[in-house]
Amino acid sequence: MTWSTREIAELSGTTTKAVRYYHEIGLLEEPDREPNGYNKRYEVRHLTRLLQIKRLTGLGLSLAQVAEMGTESDGHPSVFQEIDAELEATVERIQGIRQELATLSRPGATTDVPTAFQDVARPLRENDRALLTIYAQLFSEESMDTLRDVLGADPHGAIDDAFRDLPADADEATRQALAERMAPFVGANGSVTLEPKAATPRQAEAARNAVGQALQALYNEAQLDVLQRAHELSSTVEPATRPDTPGTTDTADD
C-alpha cells in the first residue's frame, strides 16, 4: 500500500509543506511516482522516517542535528546529553521564575527591589531601592545574601534614617557629626565586601564605574560628602560588625 503526500502528512501528524521541505534538505528520501509521473507513492519506510523526524524534533533536536544523525540515532549520545542539559537549565530557570512570581503575588510585594529583598525593603527610600536593583545586577548572589541579612538585622536604624534624611544643604557640623557616627560601620572595618559578578578586569571596572555613577545620581551632595568623610575616618576607629546600608558601601568613593 502507498500514500499520497497529503495522506502521509496526515498519518504522520505533519503538513504537506513540511514533507516537501524535508525532501528539499535531504531529510526524507524522494518516493517513487505513479506511472503518470506526477503523483508520489509514499511507502512504510517514508512514514517511519517522518515519525522519526517528528519525534526527534519534538525532543528538541534541530533539523540539522536530525540530518547529521541520518536514519540511525545510535552513536550520538552526546546530542541527547546536550539537549538534556539545556532542558535542565530551562527547568531551573522556570522554577526560579515561578518562585519570583509567587513572591510578587504576596500582599505588599513590590517590583522596585530584587525579589529576595521584599521582606527587608520597607524602610528603604526610592534611591536605596534603585541602588539595590543595580547591585543585584553587578554583584554576586553571595554578596547580595549578606547584604540582605544585614538590612534585615538593621541594628543602627537611627543612623540610617539620619543619613537618608540629610538635606543637600546640611552644614559642616551636621555632616561631620554624622560621618563620625557612621565611621565604625563603613569602609574596610565594617562594611560588606561586595564581590562583582565580572569575569574580566574590564567588566569589573565597568561595574565600579556604574556604581559610582549611580551613587552620584541617587544621593545628594551632602550625603556623598558624609560617605567620603566616614570612609576616611573608618581607618581610625574601632571596627564594627554592621556593614553599610545600600547607599554606603565600599564602592561609595568610586
Side-chain angles (χ1 to χ4, degrees), residues 28-40:
L28 183 64
E29 179 187 355
E30 288 280 356
D32 295 332
R33 293 181 180 270
E34 297 285 357
N36 62 16
Y38 181 74
N39 295 327
K40 294 178 178 179

Side-chain angles (χ1 to χ4, degrees), residues 137-149:
Q137 174 65 24
L138 299 177
F139 298 114
S140 69
E141 291 186 12
E142 292 78 8
S143 296
M144 298 306 293
D145 287 344
T146 301
L147 184 56
R148 183 190 64 235
D149 292 342

Side-chain angles (χ1 to χ4, degrees), residues 91-119 133 136-137 141:
V91 169
E92 291 178 357
R93 181 180 63 83
I94 291 174
Q95 288 175 337
I97 291 173
R98 294 195 65 195
Q99 290 174 357
E100 186 163 354
L101 289 172
T103 300
L104 292 174
S105 298
R106 297 193 316 225
T110 176
T111 60
D112 63 351
V113 294
T115 304
F117 286 77
Q118 293 290 329
D119 295 335
T133 298
Q137 174 65 24
E141 291 186 12

